[in-house]
Protein backbone atom coordinates (compact mmCIF):
# COMPACT_ATOMS: atom_id res chain seq x y z
CA UNK A 1 0.00 0.00 0.00
CA UNK A 2 1.39 3.38 -1.00
CA UNK A 3 1.50 6.38 1.30
CA UNK A 4 -1.25 8.01 -0.79
CA UNK A 5 -3.50 4.96 -0.41
CA UNK A 6 -2.82 4.83 3.31
CA UNK A 7 -3.69 8.49 3.75
CA UNK A 8 -6.88 8.00 1.75
CA UNK A 9 -7.80 5.05 3.96
CA UNK A 10 -7.20 7.08 7.12
CA UNK A 11 -9.26 10.01 5.82
CA UNK A 12 -12.02 7.61 4.78
CA UNK A 13 -12.01 5.93 8.19
CA UNK A 14 -12.25 9.29 9.97
CA UNK A 15 -15.06 10.40 7.68
CA UNK A 16 -16.86 7.10 8.17
CA UNK A 17 -16.49 7.40 11.94
CA UNK A 18 -18.03 10.88 11.79
CA UNK A 19 -20.98 9.55 9.75
CA UNK A 20 -21.37 6.62 12.14
CA UNK A 21 -21.36 8.92 15.16
CA UNK A 22 -23.97 11.18 13.57
CA UNK A 23 -26.20 8.22 12.74
CA UNK A 24 -25.76 6.90 16.27
CA UNK A 25 -26.89 10.17 17.84
CA UNK A 26 -29.85 10.31 15.45
CA UNK A 27 -30.83 6.70 16.21
CA UNK A 28 -30.53 7.27 19.96
CA UNK A 29 -32.88 10.26 19.78
CA UNK A 30 -35.41 8.98 17.26
CA UNK A 31 -35.67 5.45 18.60
CA UNK A 32 -35.49 6.28 22.32
CA UNK A 33 -32.73 3.69 22.52
CA UNK A 34 -31.98 2.69 26.11
CA UNK A 35 -28.29 1.81 25.66
CA UNK A 36 -27.23 4.93 23.79
CA UNK A 37 -23.52 4.77 24.56
CA UNK A 38 -22.94 1.22 23.21
CA UNK A 39 -25.02 2.10 20.15
CA UNK A 40 -22.95 5.21 19.49
CA UNK A 41 -19.68 3.34 19.85
CA UNK A 42 -20.91 0.51 17.62
CA UNK A 43 -22.00 2.80 14.78
CA UNK A 44 -18.83 4.88 15.13
CA UNK A 45 -16.62 1.79 14.79
CA UNK A 46 -18.69 0.31 11.95
CA UNK A 47 -18.61 3.67 10.18
CA UNK A 48 -14.83 3.85 10.52
CA UNK A 49 -14.42 0.32 9.13
CA UNK A 50 -16.76 1.02 6.23
CA UNK A 51 -15.09 4.33 5.47
CA UNK A 52 -11.64 2.76 5.26
CA UNK A 53 -12.52 0.86 2.06
CA UNK A 54 -14.01 2.27 -1.14
CA UNK A 55 -17.03 0.01 -1.86
CA UNK A 56 -18.54 0.11 1.64
CA UNK A 57 -17.58 3.79 1.88
CA UNK A 58 -19.77 4.58 -1.13
CA UNK A 59 -22.65 2.59 0.37
CA UNK A 60 -22.23 4.39 3.71
CA UNK A 61 -22.23 7.80 2.05
CA UNK A 62 -25.28 6.91 -0.06
CA UNK A 63 -27.21 5.70 3.01
CA UNK A 64 -26.25 8.79 5.01
CA UNK A 65 -27.27 11.06 2.12
CA UNK A 66 -30.66 9.32 1.88
CA UNK A 67 -31.29 9.73 5.60
CA UNK A 68 -30.22 13.38 5.43
CA UNK A 69 -32.57 14.14 2.52
CA UNK A 70 -35.57 12.55 4.23
CA UNK A 71 -34.79 14.28 7.52
CA UNK A 72 -34.33 17.64 5.76
CA UNK A 73 -37.74 17.31 4.11
CA UNK A 74 -39.32 16.60 7.50
CA UNK A 75 -37.51 19.47 9.26
CA UNK A 76 -37.98 22.15 6.61
CA UNK A 77 -41.73 21.63 6.07
CA UNK A 78 -44.69 20.64 8.28
CA UNK A 79 -45.24 17.56 6.11
CA UNK A 80 -45.65 15.34 9.18
CA UNK A 81 -48.77 17.11 10.50
CA UNK A 82 -51.10 14.61 8.87
CA UNK A 83 -49.29 11.42 9.95
CA UNK A 84 -48.91 12.82 13.47
CA UNK A 85 -52.60 13.73 13.75
CA UNK A 86 -53.54 10.23 12.58
CA UNK A 87 -51.96 8.79 15.74
CA UNK A 88 -54.38 10.67 18.00
CA UNK A 89 -57.79 9.49 19.17
CA UNK A 90 -59.50 12.13 21.31
CA UNK A 91 -63.04 11.53 22.58
CA UNK A 92 -65.25 13.49 25.00
CA UNK A 93 -65.06 12.07 28.53
CA UNK A 94 -68.06 10.22 29.93
CA UNK A 95 -68.99 8.80 33.31
CA UNK A 96 -66.88 5.70 33.84
CA UNK A 97 -65.75 3.21 36.44
CA UNK A 98 -62.04 4.10 36.41
CA UNK A 99 -59.45 6.40 34.90
CA UNK A 100 -56.46 4.51 33.51
CA UNK A 101 -53.30 6.62 33.45
CA UNK A 102 -50.77 4.80 31.31
CA UNK A 103 -47.11 4.72 32.32
CA UNK A 104 -44.59 6.95 30.60
CA UNK A 105 -40.98 7.90 31.18
CA UNK A 106 -39.03 9.06 34.19
CA UNK A 107 -35.60 10.38 35.08
CA UNK A 108 -34.02 7.73 37.25
CA UNK A 109 -31.21 9.72 38.84
CA UNK A 110 -33.33 12.75 39.78
CA UNK A 111 -36.29 10.49 40.60
CA UNK A 112 -38.79 12.65 38.73
CA UNK A 113 -41.41 12.00 36.09
CA UNK A 114 -40.77 13.10 32.52
CA UNK A 115 -43.07 15.85 31.26
CA UNK A 116 -45.28 13.44 29.29
CA UNK A 117 -45.81 11.23 32.35
CA UNK A 118 -46.66 14.22 34.52
CA UNK A 119 -49.10 15.49 31.88
CA UNK A 120 -50.86 12.11 31.86
CA UNK A 121 -51.18 12.07 35.64
CA UNK A 122 -52.41 15.67 35.72
CA UNK A 123 -55.06 14.89 33.12
CA UNK A 124 -56.16 11.82 35.05
CA UNK A 125 -56.53 13.84 38.26
CA UNK A 126 -58.48 16.51 36.38
CA UNK A 127 -60.96 13.89 35.20
CA UNK A 128 -61.25 12.51 38.73
CA UNK A 129 -61.79 16.04 40.08
CA UNK A 130 -64.59 16.51 37.54
CA UNK A 131 -66.17 13.32 38.97
CA UNK A 132 -65.99 11.24 35.82
CA UNK A 133 -64.75 8.22 37.82
CA UNK A 134 -63.84 7.46 41.46
CA UNK A 135 -60.80 5.27 40.80
CA UNK A 136 -57.41 5.91 39.19
CA UNK A 137 -54.88 3.34 38.01
CA UNK A 138 -51.13 3.91 37.72
CA UNK A 139 -48.52 1.60 36.25
CA UNK A 140 -45.47 -0.01 37.85
CA UNK A 141 -42.84 -0.74 35.22
CA UNK A 142 -41.17 -4.15 35.16
CA UNK A 143 -37.47 -4.77 35.65
CA UNK A 144 -37.01 -4.82 31.87
CA UNK A 145 -37.36 -1.04 31.76
CA UNK A 146 -34.54 1.16 33.03
CA UNK A 147 -31.76 0.47 35.56
CA UNK A 148 -32.53 -1.84 38.45
CA UNK A 149 -32.22 0.98 40.99
CA UNK A 150 -34.67 3.20 39.07
CA UNK A 151 -37.74 4.19 41.10
CA UNK A 152 -41.13 2.91 40.04
CA UNK A 153 -43.32 5.32 38.09
CA UNK A 154 -46.30 4.24 40.18
CA UNK A 155 -44.46 5.17 43.39
CA UNK A 156 -43.62 8.66 42.13
CA UNK A 157 -47.20 9.17 40.94
CA UNK A 158 -48.64 8.06 44.27
CA UNK A 159 -46.32 10.50 46.05
CA UNK A 160 -47.53 13.35 43.84
CA UNK A 161 -51.18 12.43 44.48
CA UNK A 162 -50.58 12.29 48.24
CA UNK A 163 -48.75 15.65 48.27
CA UNK A 164 -51.51 17.35 46.29
CA UNK A 165 -54.63 15.73 47.73
CA UNK A 166 -53.68 13.92 50.92
CA UNK A 167 -56.33 11.54 52.21
CA UNK A 168 -58.99 13.19 50.04
CA UNK A 169 -57.58 11.83 46.79
CA UNK A 170 -58.98 9.09 44.56
CA UNK A 171 -58.76 5.38 45.12
CA UNK A 172 -55.48 4.46 43.40
CA UNK A 173 -54.78 0.97 42.05
CA UNK A 174 -51.41 -0.15 40.70
CA UNK A 175 -50.98 -2.17 37.52
CA UNK A 176 -47.97 -4.22 38.58
CA UNK A 177 -44.96 -5.38 36.56
CA UNK A 178 -45.87 -3.95 33.15
CA UNK A 179 -43.51 -3.73 30.21
CA UNK A 180 -45.80 -2.77 27.34
CA UNK A 181 -49.18 -1.18 26.74
CA UNK A 182 -50.47 -4.67 26.02
CA UNK A 183 -49.52 -5.63 29.61
CA UNK A 184 -51.43 -2.63 30.97
CA UNK A 185 -54.47 -3.63 28.91
CA UNK A 186 -54.32 -7.17 30.33
CA UNK A 187 -54.08 -5.86 33.92
CA UNK A 188 -57.06 -3.53 33.40
CA UNK A 189 -59.05 -6.33 31.78
CA UNK A 190 -58.48 -8.47 34.90
CA UNK A 191 -59.56 -5.60 37.18
CA UNK A 192 -62.64 -4.99 35.05
CA UNK A 193 -63.69 -8.61 35.45
CA UNK A 194 -63.19 -8.71 39.22
CA UNK A 195 -64.65 -5.26 39.93
CA UNK A 196 -67.44 -5.26 37.37
CA UNK A 197 -66.13 -2.30 35.40
CA UNK A 198 -67.91 -1.61 32.11
CA UNK A 199 -66.14 1.55 30.91
CA UNK A 200 -62.79 3.18 31.63
CA UNK A 201 -61.27 6.48 30.56
CA UNK A 202 -57.86 5.95 28.94
CA UNK A 203 -55.30 8.70 29.51
CA UNK A 204 -52.02 8.73 27.61
CA UNK A 205 -50.05 11.02 25.29
CA UNK A 206 -51.88 12.08 22.09
CA UNK A 207 -49.51 10.23 19.77
CA UNK A 208 -49.99 7.02 21.76
CA UNK A 209 -53.75 7.28 22.17
CA UNK A 210 -55.08 5.55 19.03
CA UNK A 211 -52.73 2.57 19.32
CA UNK A 212 -53.35 2.26 23.06
CA UNK A 213 -57.14 2.36 22.66
CA UNK A 214 -56.96 -0.35 19.99
CA UNK A 215 -54.88 -2.58 22.27
CA UNK A 216 -57.31 -2.15 25.16
CA UNK A 217 -60.31 -2.90 22.98
CA UNK A 218 -58.59 -5.98 21.58
CA UNK A 219 -58.13 -7.12 25.19
CA UNK A 220 -61.87 -6.77 25.80
CA UNK A 221 -61.83 -3.45 27.67
CA UNK A 222 -64.38 -0.78 26.74
CA UNK A 223 -62.36 2.45 26.71
CA UNK A 224 -62.97 6.11 25.98
CA UNK A 225 -59.75 7.78 24.86
CA UNK A 226 -59.14 11.10 26.65
CA UNK A 227 -55.48 11.96 25.93
CA UNK A 228 -53.42 14.41 27.93
CA UNK A 229 -52.06 17.57 26.29
CA UNK A 230 -48.77 17.22 24.43
CA UNK A 231 -46.13 19.01 26.51
CA UNK A 232 -42.95 18.06 24.65
CA UNK A 233 -43.55 19.99 21.43
CA UNK A 234 -46.11 22.04 19.47
CA UNK A 235 -48.22 19.61 17.44
CA UNK A 236 -48.85 22.25 14.75
CA UNK A 237 -45.11 21.87 13.98
CA UNK A 238 -44.17 25.53 13.47
CA UNK A 239 -40.43 25.06 14.18
CA UNK A 240 -37.75 22.59 13.05
CA UNK A 241 -37.38 21.39 16.66
CA UNK A 242 -41.10 20.57 16.81
CA UNK A 243 -40.76 18.71 13.50
CA UNK A 244 -37.77 16.76 14.79
CA UNK A 245 -39.90 15.65 17.74
CA UNK A 246 -42.60 14.59 15.28
CA UNK A 247 -40.04 12.43 13.46
CA UNK A 248 -39.11 10.85 16.77
CA UNK A 249 -42.71 10.17 17.75
CA UNK A 250 -43.58 8.65 14.37
CA UNK A 251 -40.46 6.49 14.41
CA UNK A 252 -41.22 5.27 17.94
CA UNK A 253 -44.87 4.51 17.21
CA UNK A 254 -44.08 2.64 14.00
CA UNK A 255 -41.32 0.64 15.67
CA UNK A 256 -43.74 -0.21 18.47
CA UNK A 257 -46.20 -1.56 15.93
CA UNK A 258 -43.47 -3.69 14.36
CA UNK A 259 -42.45 -4.96 17.81
CA UNK A 260 -46.06 -5.83 18.62
CA UNK A 261 -46.42 -7.69 15.31
CA UNK A 262 -43.34 -9.73 16.20
CA UNK A 263 -44.71 -10.71 19.60
CA UNK A 264 -43.92 -7.73 21.83
CA UNK A 265 -41.52 -7.62 24.73
CA UNK A 266 -41.50 -10.66 27.06
CA UNK A 267 -41.79 -9.96 30.76
CA UNK A 268 -39.16 -11.10 33.20
Amino acid sequence: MTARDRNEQIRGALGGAAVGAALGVLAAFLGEVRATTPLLWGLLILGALAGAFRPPRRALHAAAAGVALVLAACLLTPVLRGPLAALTLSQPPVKADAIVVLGGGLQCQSRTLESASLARLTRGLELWGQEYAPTLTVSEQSGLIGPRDCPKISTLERQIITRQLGADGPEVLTLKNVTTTRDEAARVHALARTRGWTTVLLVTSPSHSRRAAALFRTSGVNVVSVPAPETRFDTTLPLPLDRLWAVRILAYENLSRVKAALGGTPER
Side-chain angles (χ1 to χ4, degrees):
M1 178 183 294
T2 65
R4 180 177 179 180
D5 290 338
R6 186 163 51 253
N7 289 336
E8 180 184 0
Q9 190 175 54
I10 292 172
R11 287 195 300 271
L14 292 174
V19 171
L23 292 175
V25 172
L26 184 63
F29 177 75
L30 297 185
E32 298 189 78
V33 179
R34 296 168 189 165
T36 56
T37 301
L39 174 70
L40 181 58
W41 275 109
L43 286 177
L44 189 150
I45 292 170
L46 288 175
L49 292 174
F53 305 96
R54 289 181 183 176
R57 185 189 311 157
R58 294 193 185 99
L60 177 66
H61 289 172
V67 171
L69 287 173
V70 171
L71 190 59
C74 294
L75 295 183
L76 294 174
T77 69
V79 67
L80 295 181
R81 279 181 185 168
L84 186 66
L87 298 176
T88 302
L89 176 62
S90 181
Q91 300 171 300
V94 300
K95 289 287 186 178
D97 300 295
I99 301 161
V100 177
V101 178
L102 295 187
L106 77 161
Q107 298 165 351
C108 292
Q109 297 302 316
S110 60
R111 304 179 71 85
T112 57
L113 297 176
E114 289 184 357
S115 62
S117 295
L118 187 56
R120 296 178 188 185
L121 179 61
T122 300
R123 181 59 172 143
L125 291 175
E126 287 175 354
L127 292 168
W128 170 79
Q130 294 164 0
E131 299 185 347
Y132 280 106
T135 302
L136 199 77
T137 75
V138 294
S139 296
E140 174 196 86
Q141 76 272 28
S142 75
L144 294 177
I145 300 177
R148 293 186 179 276
D149 60 347
C150 196
K152 298 300 182 183
I153 296 172
S154 55
T155 300
L156 298 179
E157 290 177 325
R158 283 177 174 274
Q159 290 172 353
I160 291 172
I161 294 171
T162 300
R163 284 199 303 269
Q164 291 185 358
L165 301 170
D168 298 325
E171 177 189 25
V172 181
L173 304 177
T174 299
L175 310 180
K176 292 185 176 296
N177 195 36
V178 300
T179 302
T180 65
T181 306
R182 192 182 301 275
D183 298 334
E184 291 172 304
R187 305 291 188 273
V188 172
H189 176 67
L191 283 172
R193 291 183 62 184
T194 58
R195 289 181 163 242
W197 293 348
T198 59
T199 303
V200 301
L201 301 182
L202 186 64
V203 181
T204 185
S205 300
S207 57
H208 182 228
S209 58
R210 187 174 297 277
R211 178 168 65 91
L215 286 170
F216 271 71
R217 287 167 183 157
T218 299
S219 297
V221 180
N222 181 35
V223 298
V224 174
S225 177
V226 190
E230 180 57 73
T231 58
R232 294 167 293 183
F233 64 101
D234 186 337
T235 55
T236 64
L237 308 185
L239 300 174
L241 180 59
D242 300 310
R243 298 164 189 170
L244 182 60
W245 266 101
V247 174
R248 176 182 182 175
I249 294 299
L250 286 163
Y252 177 80
E253 284 298 314
N254 284 308
L255 286 172
S256 295
R257 284 166 169 77
V258 171
K259 182 180 71 173
L262 296 175
T265 302
E267 288 193 286
R268 199 187 299 271

